[in-house]
Amino acid sequence: MAKLVVLSEGLTGRACELKVDKTTIGRLDDNAFQIAEPSVSSHHCEVFLRGNDVVVKDLNSTNGTFVNNEAVTAEAVIKPGQVLRLGQVEMRLETGDGTAAATTGKKKLEQTRVIPQGVKLNELEQQGARSVFEKNSPFVKKSNKTAVIFIAIGSILFVVILVSLFLAIRNMQ
């Protein structure tokens, strides 16, 4: 007997046996297989048994129906072991004859998820003597020009005041 086994986290272990010719799947409770998940439309799709074939028909769902990551525009045949995705919920078609993967409640690891990375060590080594920090970065080494100018002007003013005091005291005598 064919059945759809949910693979997505939080819903794992849920299954729907395909006993009748037409099974409706969606978010509302009037569907034969209700999946209460926001990415699933209220009446998402229908699954038909046509001889030995299992056929999926999208019902103009918002987030789409996919068989092995290929969009179902009207109808598509799904084979045992293939993954049916409704919105963000994934399920696998399994049969009792051993042609599908064993029901483990886990996703098949057919694809590797790419995880974004930061700066790699070899990229830093390729920069060589170049500065790692950009010019407008808050970590750029500050210039001492303003401090040198401030000390020079202060020194000149100090000397002028000392000379003025010396001349003023000399004129008073």
Side-chain angles (χ1 to χ4, degrees):
M1 164 110 4
K3 66 179 175 178
L4 291 170
V5 178
V6 180
L7 305 172
S8 298
E9 272 187 56
L11 301 169
T12 51
R14 291 198 58 208
C16 176
E17 288 190 8
L18 304 174
K19 298 177 185 176
V20 293
D21 291 339
K22 175 180 148 185
T23 304
T24 58
I25 303 174
R27 195 176 63 248
L28 297 182
D29 59 0
D30 65 346
N31 290 289
F33 188 34
Q34 180 189 13
I35 302 175
E37 209 281 334
S39 68
V40 176
S41 294
S42 55
H43 297 98
H44 201 100
C45 70
E46 295 175 334
V47 178
F48 299 98
L49 295 177
R50 292 189 184 147
N52 291 334
D53 289 336
V54 177
V55 179
V56 178
K57 178 183 178 185
D58 184 64
L59 298 176
N60 295 321
S61 60
T62 303
N63 293 314
T65 301
F66 301 85
V67 173
N68 279 358
N69 290 324
E70 291 190 26
V72 175
T73 53
E75 290 185 354
V77 174
I78 181 170
K79 305 271 186 218
Q82 289 186 324
V83 175
L84 172 66
R85 181 166 52 92
L86 311 178
Q88 294 180 346
V89 176
E90 290 186 343
M91 55 190 81
R92 182 176 51 238
L93 179 65
E94 296 184 358
T95 58
D97 61 5
T99 56
T103 306
T104 61
K106 294 182 181 179
K107 280 186 178 181
K108 277 177 92 175
L109 300 176
E110 294 175 352
Q111 296 176 335
T112 303
R113 177 181 290 172
V114 177
I115 299 173
Q117 297 178 352
V119 178
K120 296 179 181 135
L121 180 60
N122 62 355
E123 290 174 356
L124 290 175
E125 290 171 350
Q126 290 173 357
Q127 287 181 353
R130 265 189 348 187
S131 173
V132 173
F133 299 110
E134 297 295 322
K135 190 171 187 163
N136 294 331
S137 169
F139 301 108
V140 173
K141 183 177 177 182
K142 302 292 182 190
S143 170
N144 288 330
K145 288 181 183 179
T146 54
V148 171
I149 292 172
F150 180 75
I151 291 171
I153 292 173
S155 299
I156 292 171
L157 284 176
F158 181 73
V159 170
V160 169
I161 291 172
L162 279 178
V163 171
S164 297
L165 281 175
F166 178 74
L167 290 176
I169 293 175
R170 193 165 182 211
N171 283 339
M172 291 176 87
Q173 292 177 354

